[in-house]
Amino acid sequence: MSDEPKNRSRAWIGWALVSILALYFLSAGPAFRLWSEGYISSRIVNGVYAPLDWAYDHSAAVQPIIDRYMRIWAPSDP
């Protein structure tokens, strides 16, 4: 038997994991915007995005990336 089916399934799992993590990160911006406009509570945002907040607090390399992305979603002042 060939190892090709096993390799494909492992690759699929890897791509799925990378996609889920990317979507998690990208969803933080809209969640921040909804929180800042009062549509969702801070308890929900703090609970769901606690790992992202931890990464921000503990990694100097991650901070500028998150800062730039969150500025895109920050509400504009009229």
Side-chain angles (χ1 to χ4, degrees), residues 6-55:
K6 286 183 182 179
N7 289 339
R8 277 193 216 158
S9 65
R10 289 183 188 147
W12 183 86
I13 291 169
W15 280 109
L17 182 60
V18 168
S19 298
I20 289 168
L21 291 174
L23 289 173
Y24 172 74
F25 173 74
L26 293 174
S27 71
F32 171 69
R33 181 67 178 258
L34 291 172
W35 167 78
S36 67
E37 294 181 2
Y39 291 108
I40 56 177
S41 74
S42 61
R43 215 170 81 194
I44 293 170
V45 173
N46 290 338
V48 172
Y49 295 103
L52 198 57
D53 189 40
W54 182 89

Side-chain angles (χ1 to χ4, degrees), residues 32-33 63-75:
F32 171 69
R33 181 67 178 258
Q63 288 177 356
I65 296 166
I66 293 175
D67 282 338
R68 274 186 249 141
Y69 182 65
M70 289 304 179
R71 268 187 295 231
I72 294 169
W73 287 95

